[in-house]
Amino acid sequence: MTAFTLSSPDIPSGGTVPQQFEFDGFGCSGQNRSPVLQWSGAPLEAKSFAVTVYDPDAPTGSGWWHWFVVDLPAGTTQLAAHAGAQGGQGLPAGARQIRNDYGVHAWGGVCPPPGDKPHRYVFTVHALSVPRLDIPDDATAALAGFMVNAHTLAKASFTATYGRP
């Protein structure tokens, strides 16, 4: 059996997130573009995928959801550069972006508070047992996370860090 893995040619696992993936706002001035993500070795019984990007170090008490994509078709093995643009045109047909903690249905780039230790950003792909999650388009990330976890067959992750002086 092949291991289920997630990687990015743009962001090294265990490395630093490049500045172009930083948010453009909240005092940050990046390009707010989502990176290329690629996965392989998913269970054959996967009926869809979800992709999340989460910062457990955000000073909120509950972390920070930067990106939450659900209903990616079963044959999907990657997301292209800037697939997280608002409107979802860069995503495969049928995929949906759940509102992130910036309040938009799109990629929200990294933007830790200045002077904080570098934050960890956890990129995860979930292989799901259902073709579509039964959640509304305006679901919160917490609700989407609950439903994703309830239907996860397997998941693959990598973590990278980012800090601001």
Side-chain angles (χ1 to χ4, degrees):
M1 180 176 186
T2 306
F4 189 23
T5 60
L6 173 66
S7 63
S8 173
D10 298 327
I11 300 173
S13 176
T16 301
V17 176
Q19 199 267 338
Q20 71 190 41
F21 304 111
E22 185 182 84
F23 190 65
D24 185 14
F26 285 30
C28 289
S29 57
Q31 297 174 24
N32 198 42
R33 298 176 63 84
S34 60
V36 172
L37 295 176
Q38 303 166 328
W39 57 92
S40 63
L44 296 176
E45 57 270 20
K47 294 187 173 143
S48 70
F49 294 96
V51 168
T52 62
V53 180
Y54 177 71
D55 172 3
D57 301 318
T60 63
S62 60
W64 191 272
W65 292 102
H66 287 269
W67 200 20
F68 212 124
V69 184
V70 299
D71 302 337
L72 289 159
T76 308
T77 59
Q78 75 171 14
L79 293 176
H82 204 42
Q86 202 153 1
Q89 302 89 335
L91 294 171
R96 299 184 285 163
Q97 296 182 105
I98 301 302
R99 185 177 56 244
N100 64 31
D101 284 338
Y102 290 112
V104 296
H105 294 80
W107 162 264
V110 300
C111 185
D116 255 16
K117 68 177 172 113
H119 286 203
R120 294 168 293 159
Y121 296 89
V122 182
F123 294 75
T124 305
V125 60
H126 296 259
L128 303 179
S129 61
V130 294
R132 184 170 170 83
L133 289 178
D134 185 18
I135 56 174
D137 289 341
D138 65 349
T140 62
L143 174 59
F146 179 86
M147 295 302 286
V148 163
N149 284 307
H151 296 288
T152 293
L153 298 167
K155 65 184 177 179
S157 297
F158 72 88
T159 301
T161 59
Y162 190 77
R164 295 194 299 147

